Amino acid sequence: ARHEVMIDEVRATGTYTAATASVADAEPYFPLIDTFGQYHHKDWPGKVHSLAELQERRAHEARELAAQPGPAEWCDYGGWAAGPKLPATGFFRTEKHQGKWWLVDPHGHLFWSHGIDCVRMLDTTPVEEREHWFEAFPGNDPELKEFLSKGYVLKGHYAGRQPQCFAFAGANMKRKYGADWKTAYAELAHRRLRSWGLNTIANWSDSGVYRLRRTPYTDTLGLRGARMIEGSEGYWGKFPDVFDPSFAKSCQRGMTGKPGGSANDPWCLGYFSDNEMAWGDETSLAIAALKSPPDQAAKQEFVADLKAKSA
């Protein structure tokens, strides 16, 4: 049965705190980012207040990871070691077990993938034309200039440009772990994930982390050269026509650089195709196919399927 809900007399309660600065008077607002890349005008649990405090957290982190190493019932791949045991193939696969589809790890353990993407060492914060935003900007420190770079921006204020950027995460890690920060961070990333109950490093992550092969990971497969569904739309671009012969060929081309890397690697869970392709709603791709030219393979396949169903 349908229900109608009416919300009436919504009120804001509590104590009002005025904004740090108004649009008409923004000067008190600057600088708004501190030397660690944090918002300057507020405090919160976990905020770093000094270099000494940042470095002291190494010991705290070590104690925390030692006390909470991760789920005891997991195998080294993060599979359910205490659960049902299926045949071991040495690689990840899918298999139906007791009527339900599962991922199965190389040991043959049932595997529930629980992970995050963008497990990376660095970030890119545009700083060009924003010099007055930053307090004690670390990019001026000769020891931290390595974290300056040029970044490409697709949308927004810097669209189509390559503004000067700074990697606050990298600067913080070097200040926290020292000159060998890349090695220290990569190893700690795996320990943190395990401690937090995560067993998958997903897309857009740093190869310097996942190639340590301590946490299962996914790789990316680009589809350059595949024909798109011409009637489709998307934030980043059109949707590939999987029925066109060029799709299979583009997949093959995308795999040419994988041998010696993720291909045949037991730790590789699988591949993401491109990035954030716009499926739309339930009918978007069907309508897009119908809007495409007569020689569009997806359109031909869809029309043939409709005719078969109506016969």
Side-chain angles (χ1 to χ4, degrees):
R2 295 185 59 184
H3 299 276
E4 292 186 5
V5 178
M6 179 179 290
I7 301 175
D8 193 13
E9 295 189 20
V10 177
R11 301 178 182 180
T13 62
T15 304
Y16 172 72
T17 302
T20 306
S22 66
V23 175
D25 179 24
E27 283 306 311
Y29 197 56
F30 298 108
L32 71 152
I33 306 296
D34 69 16
T35 190
F36 300 107
Q38 304 167 124
Y39 182 56
H40 174 73
H41 296 292
K42 298 290 182 182
D43 200 3
W44 59 85
K47 185 177 183 179
V48 176
H49 302 90
S50 68
L51 180 59
E53 182 179 313
L54 179 65
Q55 294 171 342
E56 287 170 1
R57 293 190 179 186
R58 293 184 60 176
H60 173 77
E61 180 178 52
R63 291 192 298 270
E64 186 178 70
L65 292 175
Q68 302 178 45
E73 65 273 18
W74 283 5
C75 69
D76 52 344
Y77 286 105
W80 187 17
K85 181 68 166 63
L86 306 183
T89 64
F91 294 94
F92 278 95
R93 70 182 190 275
T94 56
E95 185 171 325
K96 208 167 194 178
H97 175 68
Q98 295 182 352
K100 296 181 180 180
W101 282 103
W102 281 87
L103 286 169
V104 181
D105 74 15
H107 293 316
H109 300 135
L110 302 183
F111 184 87
W112 178 268
S113 179
H114 183 210
I116 54 176
D117 61 7
C118 297
V119 180
R120 307 189 63 83
M121 294 186 182
L122 301 180
D123 59 357
T124 50
T125 297
V127 296
E128 190 172 311
E129 301 173 353
R130 296 173 171 176
E131 291 79 5
H132 60 297
W133 287 24
F134 304 97
E135 177 187 46
F137 179 57
N140 296 327
D141 185 339
E143 293 293 318
L144 302 176
K145 283 187 177 295
E146 65 182 282
F147 301 108
L148 288 167
S149 66
K150 292 287 186 178
Y152 176 75
V153 182
L154 182 64
K155 298 179 182 291
H157 176 70
Y158 298 105
R161 297 164 56 188
Q162 290 185 310
Q164 183 76 53
C165 297
F166 186 75
F168 279 94
N172 290 341
M173 285 188 286
K174 186 173 184 179
R175 288 184 281 192
K176 182 177 180 179
Y177 299 112
D180 196 30
W181 64 271
K182 289 184 179 180
T183 299
Y185 174 76
E187 293 177 349
L188 280 167
H190 290 279
R191 294 186 64 193
R192 286 176 182 170
L193 292 172
R194 189 83 171 199
S195 177
W196 297 339
L198 300 173
N199 63 1
T200 305
I201 295 177
N203 214 19
W204 310 123
S205 295
D206 196 309
S207 61
V209 176
Y210 64 72
R211 284 182 181 171
L212 288 180
R213 295 172 171 85
R214 298 182 186 176
T215 304
Y217 67 91
T218 62
D219 199 358
T220 304
L221 188 65
L223 297 178
R224 286 180 296 178
R227 183 178 180 181
M228 299 291 115
I229 298 177
E230 295 184 33
S232 64
E233 299 177 1
Y235 185 81
W236 302 111
K238 298 180 182 296
F239 199 90
D241 188 342
V242 299
F243 298 101
D244 192 273
S246 63
F247 179 82
K249 292 178 181 178
S250 67
C251 289
Q252 291 173 343
R253 283 194 301 270
M255 286 298 298
T256 56
K258 304 303 181 182
S262 57
N264 297 319
D265 183 1
W267 292 89
C268 183
L269 182 62
Y271 293 86
F272 275 90
S273 172
D274 296 276
N275 180 51
E276 298 180 3
M277 293 186 290
W279 290 83
D281 59 24
E282 291 87 344
T283 61
S284 294
L285 291 181
I287 294 173
L290 293 176
K291 289 167 62 178
S292 298
D295 67 341
Q296 185 85 58
K299 181 174 186 174
Q300 295 171 355
E301 190 77 19
F302 185 37
V303 171
D305 188 50
L306 291 176
K307 288 180 178 180
K309 287 183 177 179
S310 62

